[in-house]
Amino acid sequence: MLIRFGLVFLLTFVSANSAFAAGTKHKLPEAKTLDGPISLLGIELGQALSLPACPLDTSYGVTSLVRDYDIHQTCWYAYGKSSVPSYGAVDIHFDYANKPSFLQFGYINVSMRAGLVDKIDVFTNGVRDQDVVYTQLVSKFGKPQVYSKTEQANLMGAKFDVIIAEWHRKDGANVTLFGTLDKFTNGSISASSAAAEEEERARAAAH
């Protein structure tokens, strides 16, 4: 739980305050606005989750999620919940042997609103995988409406080109790729409904 909320905070912080988001992006006029469903790794915005619950370990009288290597299909997990909650956070875990190599963890985070997927957060391995991730997103969604690739340096002087890209849908939903977050080894892909985007803007403005 601490990992989830810490990384979601970092994603919000970067999108609102980082130099990555300030003055480095430009619009691609030839890019078309998204039209149609938005999904990441098989999870679609605006739809209910129709997945089995992840297997649980009840050893020693304590109920907890099994180890990652004991998960053999895509499934959902929410601490203390026996059914998918209508509101709040849900983790989506993947078959350990076949999960995407760019996933930093063995799962992704989903936020629910009124029983439907409202936001999807995928945390990646940062600049190491950003080109592969970007290529896959372009293949799925076409050219982004907003794009930047800027050189960033860490405290040791190592320099990396960092990608930020945004795909927008007419109703206000969007997909965003951050090649890196707080560290060059952390990156993210997020898909947000229009309502989730509005909430995030309000939260950023409050800070």
Side-chain angles (χ1 to χ4, degrees):
M1 296 292 287
L2 289 175
I3 289 174
R4 176 193 303 127
F5 292 119
L7 287 173
V8 170
F9 170 79
L10 285 169
L11 177 59
T12 303
F13 178 82
V14 170
S15 63
N17 301 298
S18 170
F20 297 152
T24 61
K25 297 183 289 186
H26 58 272
K27 294 183 177 180
L28 303 182
E30 70 276 15
K32 296 180 180 179
T33 303
L34 291 181
D35 185 17
I38 292 176
S39 64
L40 295 176
L41 299 178
I43 307 301
E44 185 176 330
L45 282 183
Q47 298 297 311
L49 287 177
S50 56
L51 297 171
C54 293
L56 300 176
D57 183 352
T58 57
S59 301
Y60 309 109
V62 177
T63 300
S64 59
L65 184 68
V66 299
R67 304 265 187 184
D68 282 356
Y69 51 73
D70 288 324
I71 294 177
H72 305 297
Q73 63 178 336
T74 304
C75 58
W76 69 270
Y77 174 75
Y79 180 76
K81 304 293 184 181
S82 59
S83 60
V84 177
S86 295
Y87 292 86
V90 178
D91 293 338
I92 307 299
H93 292 255
F94 299 91
D95 176 5
Y96 182 78
N98 296 296
K99 64 182 179 181
S101 62
F102 59 77
L103 278 187
Q104 189 175 56
F105 309 108
Y107 62 91
I108 65 176
N109 303 140
V110 168
S111 297
M112 304 297 293
R113 184 194 301 267
L116 304 177
V117 175
D118 194 48
K119 192 170 189 291
I120 306 164
D121 288 311
V122 179
F123 296 101
T124 72
N125 296 307
V127 294
R128 187 185 79 184
D129 293 329
Q130 67 172 351
D131 290 321
V132 170
V133 171
Y134 176 71
T135 298
Q136 291 185 13
L137 290 172
V138 169
S139 178
K140 184 178 182 67
F141 298 119
K143 291 182 178 180
Q145 281 72 51
V146 178
Y147 175 86
S148 72
K149 191 170 188 178
T150 57
E151 186 178 84
Q152 307 290 336
N154 64 17
L155 294 177
M156 301 298 291
K159 296 180 179 180
F160 301 90
D161 289 332
V162 176
I163 294 174
I164 299 176
E166 299 175 11
W167 291 260
H168 300 159
R169 196 167 68 180
K170 294 177 181 178
D171 67 350
N174 70 35
V175 176
T176 303
L177 166 66
F178 284 101
T180 186
L181 294 175
D182 60 320
K183 299 178 181 178
F184 286 118
T185 52
N186 296 336
S188 72
I189 317 160
S190 66
S192 305
S193 70
E197 280 295 304
E198 183 61 33
E199 282 188 359
E200 194 154 311
R201 282 193 294 269
R203 190 159 49 243
H207 291 81

